Amino acid sequence: MSGAGRCAAAVRARLVDSERRRVALAGRVESLSEANSLLTLVNRVARTLPTSLTLREAMLTAQRQISDTFDARVVCLLTLDENAQEWVPKLAEGCVLHPAYRTETLPEPLAAALARHDPLLRGDLEELSEDRRIAPGSASGIYVRLDAGRSTIGLLGLEHPELGHFDERDTRVLAGLAEVLALTIDNARWFGRLRSLGAEEERIRLARDLHDRLGQWLTYIGFELERIMATDAPQVDDLDRLHHDVQAALDEL
């Protein structure tokens, strides 16, 4: 090969190498940009969702976050009733759900998401019968289970009538959102249990107080009646005073 040929080959090799490095660098920059966007979103969700102390507040906040982020036409969120072992809808937008589902009766994509840790992206919903999707007419969807600690507490599904509406980036965003949402739902449920426990303890305290006060009043009235009946001629003033005491006891109760 002549000197000019070797020079041209070297130039081509350097150009190819430079282009390869440029593409790799561009890919890293794009990945960093996407990661930064994802962190920003998850951070915003993490600041807003956990402030919801009731399950209803958590659902409303989650609905707003999901609508703003994914432009989903169908959103459903089910939580697990551990006592009945049923999935109960807590959020249903753009779809009609049953009052409760057994695991074997869940829509097919939700059942598939239950068996995996990462979100499930489906672009083939048209191949499913309408009763196996969350909503008829959906063409694409993304689904994820909600884990709190070692327990699965819920399922989240998003669908859209447009093919390819969701992509791999959406799965990464949904994975981050699902972690915060699961923690929020779990916190809200525990807060509700603690509040119910506090109300039950207060009812027990009130019942005990009523029981004690009623016993004291009845004991007093019994002694007074015995005293009045023991006299030769009961005095009207004594009976009138006892009548007022009985009325006071009724008013307090």
Side-chain angles (χ1 to χ4, degrees):
M1 181 182 293
S2 66
R6 287 194 297 271
C7 182
V11 170
R12 284 196 298 272
R14 294 192 62 178
L15 287 174
V16 170
D17 184 60
S18 297
E19 178 64 16
R20 186 185 306 113
R21 284 188 289 176
R22 185 192 69 79
V23 171
L25 180 60
R28 286 196 293 271
V29 170
E30 183 178 351
S31 296
L32 287 173
S33 177
E34 181 179 321
N36 183 62
S37 299
L38 175 58
L39 286 173
T40 300
L41 170 64
V42 173
N43 185 47
R44 185 172 72 245
V45 173
R47 287 198 309 269
T48 56
L49 271 177
T51 61
S52 306
L53 293 181
T54 68
L55 192 57
R56 181 175 181 275
E57 289 176 354
M59 294 299 99
L60 292 176
T61 304
Q63 185 175 11
R64 289 193 298 268
Q65 293 288 353
I66 292 169
S67 298
D68 292 343
T69 304
F70 300 98
D71 185 31
R73 302 297 172 82
V74 175
V75 178
C76 82
L77 192 152
L78 295 82
T79 59
L80 178 62
D81 183 338
E82 297 176 351
N83 294 325
Q85 283 299 302
E86 291 180 334
W87 299 91
V88 181
K90 298 297 182 181
L91 183 60
E93 180 180 344
C95 58
V96 178
L97 301 178
H98 298 167
Y101 292 86
R102 306 292 293 181
T103 298
E104 59 272 15
T105 63
L106 284 168
E108 184 176 313
L110 286 176
L114 182 60
R116 50 189 291 158
H117 178 70
D118 54 323
L120 171 65
L121 180 64
R122 291 288 296 265
D124 59 347
L125 295 184
E126 292 182 330
E127 298 178 5
L128 301 177
S129 60
E130 292 191 345
D131 62 326
R132 298 304 294 159
R133 317 174 206 176
I134 296 175
S138 295
S140 59
I142 183 171
Y143 314 86
V144 66
R145 79 184 194 196
L146 305 177
D147 293 336
R150 297 183 178 180
S151 302
T152 298
I153 63 171
L155 290 167
L156 175 64
L158 317 178
E159 291 184 351
H160 197 278
E162 186 179 283
L163 284 170
H165 179 76
F166 304 106
D167 55 25
E168 291 295 336
R169 179 185 181 278
D170 291 320
T171 63
R172 292 190 288 273
V173 173
L174 188 62
L177 188 147
E179 291 182 10
V180 181
L181 181 56
L183 178 61
T184 301
I185 293 174
D186 196 44
N187 286 343
R189 293 170 71 175
W190 276 109
F191 181 78
R193 294 184 186 117
L194 290 174
R195 186 169 52 188
S196 297
L197 180 61
E200 181 62 24
E201 290 180 348
E202 181 66 8
R203 283 193 292 268
I204 293 173
R205 186 190 67 80
L206 289 172
R208 186 180 298 115
D209 289 348
L210 286 172
H211 177 272
D212 293 344
R213 292 295 294 167
L214 180 60
Q216 292 171 9
W217 278 112
L218 290 176
T219 300
Y220 163 74
I221 292 170
F223 284 150
E224 283 297 288
L225 285 173
E226 288 180 3
R227 183 184 64 79
I228 293 172
M229 292 172 62
T231 62
D232 295 333
Q235 299 296 314
V236 175
D237 291 343
D238 289 336
L239 293 174
D240 187 58
R241 179 172 52 79
L242 183 58
H243 174 266
H244 285 292
D245 289 340
V246 171
Q247 188 62 47
L250 291 173
D251 291 342
E252 181 176 335
L253 290 174

